[in-house]
Each structure stands twice: as C-alpha cells, then as structure tokens.
Amino acid sequence: MKERINAGFPFDVNIPSPYKLTDFKPAYGTVFEELLTPYDYWGYCDLDMIFGDIMKFVEAPMCDGKDKIYQLGHLTIYKNTESMRTLFMQKGAKFSYKTVFTNPELYSFDEHCGQMLIAKHQSVAEYCAEDMADISCRTIRLTASRQKNYDDQVFYYENGKVYRAYLEQDNVRTQEYVYIHMQKRKYTFEKEYSCYYILSDRFAEKQPGIPSAQEIKAYSEFVSREDDHLQMNSYRQMKKAEFFSCSLKKKWIWIHQKIAERQF
C-alpha cells in the first residue's frame, strides 16, 4: 500500500503503521483510479462493520445526484468524478493533505479535520443523514453514539438487514440501519448464523421475527444506569490520561480535531 500510494504523489508518504492508512482513505479515488472506471460511485469503509441493506439507504441520494454520501470514515461514498476523487486536495481542512501524508501522526483526515471541513468549505452536495449505528466505546454494552439509547435494547442481523429493537414504555420498537460500526470490539465466532443478536463480545443465534420484550431484556446486557455512568467516567479518565501523556504535536492535532468536531 505504501508503494502504491507513494507512486501517486511527488513526495514521500509516511505510513508507520496500518492504522495510519485511515488518513489516506480520501485519496483512494486517485490511488485506485484505474479500478474505478466502470463505476458511478466509489468509497471506503472500516473493517469492524456489519452491513445491512445498503442500497435501501443510498439509492435515493444517488438518484438525486449527490456528490458525497455520508461523512464519517467508517463509510463515505463519492460520485466518481475528477472533483470528488481529488476533493482531499482542495482548501478547507485544518491541515493540508501534504502535511497529513508526510507526518506519522493521525489527523482524522477522513473525517472532521479533513474531508468533512473541505466538503463544507467547497459546498459539496452531500447526503449527511446518520443512518448508521456508531457503537460507543464508552460502555461495555452496545450503545449508539449521538442517538438516544434505552435501558432495554438489542442490535441484531436478519435477512441481510441490521436493526435495533428496544422497549419504549413497554412497547417493542425497531429501527433499521445501513450498518453497525462495532468500534474495534473483539468477537469470538463459534458458528455462523443467518439471524443473530449482536452482543458486546459475541453473537447469539436468533429466531426470525421481531424480538419479544422478554428477548430484548434477556439480550440487552443492561446492568444499571449507574454502571453505565461509571464506565463512561472511566473512559473519560483514560482519554484524559492519553492526552496528557502524548507529545505536544499530538496535543495540538487533538485540539484541532475537537474544534473541528464541534462544527458538525
């Protein structure tokens, strides 16, 4: 990958570890341009994902001619045009693509500090709905970032679709997602299921159909709200410790990332 990316730029890229490739995702439209010729759209995603019915969610914005579909690095899709393949080179980011590509630090260039700011600055026609469940790292049980969570809720996969089932005033509700982003969680695979519950560290076989209230409670992994708060506080303390122990350069980048996040 380093050799392939390096061949596309008049400077040496800095890729000290596989994780640094996240900063290069916006450049994949040029790095792999010859592979994209037959396609109307191209994009990139993370590895820790469970996809549902993708076209159900993205077909309408594609038909509307949107240039960019979704914003976050775990899934972003672009129209296959020169302007979108080279969007990362345009103005608007906190740091230039050359700075990002030649330094070893992580800049979140595929998200808030880069592509999201550039697209906003360049007035790109975007589809930005949060159709995904971005699972939080702050709790052991599965909770969705930037969405309302419930004491009794469970995520599951069935017939090529991904859902959350939850109890709201004792009524069973369901919500469908384009994908679930598992946020680096490690899973054990005992066997493959066509329908399964997605738990904090494993998958459990599920019978077809909307889960009952009893099933939601049984698989929710909810302990108490106090326990959730303790886990979130522990996570915040860990991130503070990471911040104060990192270099001044990394602190500077991190501060810019947080400032950029507040714009969205």
Side-chain angles (χ1 to χ4, degrees):
M1 282 294 288
K2 183 176 180 180
E3 289 176 359
R4 177 149 192 157
I5 293 171
N6 219 29
F9 297 98
F11 49 79
D12 287 333
V13 299
N14 196 325
I15 308 177
S17 68
Y19 197 42
K20 174 63 178 176
L21 287 171
T22 58
D23 279 338
F24 289 87
K25 285 178 177 178
Y28 286 175
T30 59
V31 172
F32 300 103
E33 184 174 355
E34 77 279 8
L35 301 178
L36 305 178
T37 303
Y39 304 103
D40 296 323
Y41 283 83
W42 67 277
Y44 45 76
C45 68
D46 280 1
L47 298 175
D48 49 354
M49 313 268 279
I50 300 175
F51 281 102
D53 187 351
I54 301 174
M55 288 308 297
K56 177 177 179 179
F57 291 87
V58 305
E59 187 172 21
M62 285 181 174
C63 290
D64 288 342
K66 296 296 186 184
D67 289 317
K68 186 167 177 278
I69 299 171
Y70 301 132
Q71 295 182 301
L72 299 174
H74 25 97
L75 179 66
T76 307
I77 301 170
Y78 300 88
K79 185 179 284 188
N80 192 14
T81 60
E82 179 69 17
S83 61
M84 289 299 101
R85 290 193 299 271
T86 59
L87 182 65
F88 69 97
M89 297 180 177
Q90 306 307 311
K91 294 180 179 180
K94 287 288 182 182
F95 305 94
S96 72
Y97 76 94
K98 184 176 182 179
T99 296
V100 173
F101 292 178
T102 56
N103 282 277
E105 290 79 16
L106 295 170
Y107 287 82
S108 74
F109 192 64
D110 58 332
E111 293 187 341
H112 300 90
C113 262
Q115 288 292 86
M116 290 169 69
L117 284 177
I118 294 171
K120 184 177 181 180
H121 185 78
Q122 300 294 328
S123 300
V124 171
E126 294 184 274
Y127 174 76
C128 302
E130 289 205 7
D131 298 328
M132 74 295 293
D134 188 16
I135 300 301
S136 174
C137 296
R138 292 171 172 79
T139 56
I140 295 173
R141 76 184 183 105
L142 301 192
T143 55
S145 300
R146 300 180 300 277
Q147 293 181 21
K148 181 179 179 179
N149 289 284
Y150 300 84
D151 295 348
D152 298 307
Q153 64 179 26
V154 64
F155 296 87
Y156 65 96
Y157 175 94
E158 183 171 333
N159 296 326
K161 301 174 185 288
V162 289
Y163 301 90
R164 174 173 63 165
Y166 58 93
L167 293 182
E168 186 175 51
Q169 297 179 345
D170 295 325
N171 295 311
V172 175
R173 312 285 189 198
T174 61
Q175 181 176 4
E176 185 180 351
Y177 297 105
V178 61
Y179 65 86
I180 297 177
H181 179 216
M182 305 311 298
Q183 289 276 33
K184 308 176 186 68
R185 292 170 183 259
K186 296 185 182 297
Y187 281 80
T188 57
F189 295 86
E190 297 177 359
K191 58 183 294 189
E192 290 190 20
Y193 306 114
S194 57
C195 299
Y196 54 86
Y197 291 110
I198 306 163
L199 308 180
S200 61
D201 62 352
R202 64 187 176 90
F203 303 108
E205 188 171 14
K206 176 188 176 296
Q207 297 303 310
I210 296 174
S212 66
Q214 291 75 20
E215 289 171 321
I216 294 173
K217 287 178 179 290
Y219 288 104
S220 69
E221 299 185 298
F222 175 72
V223 177
S224 67
R225 294 187 183 181
E226 290 76 14
D227 189 61
D228 282 352
H229 289 313
L230 284 173
Q231 292 172 24
M232 287 188 280
N233 286 333
S234 176
Y235 178 84
R236 281 192 287 267
Q237 292 302 318
M238 179 191 70
K239 298 305 287 186
K240 284 181 182 178
E242 287 181 4
F243 175 77
F244 287 114
S245 65
C246 70
S247 67
L248 285 174
K249 186 176 181 180
K250 286 184 178 180
K251 286 186 177 73
W252 179 245
I253 295 169
W254 185 86
I255 289 169
H256 276 293
Q257 289 172 344
K258 292 303 175 184
I259 293 171
E261 285 178 18
R262 294 196 178 113
Q263 298 185 42
F264 297 94

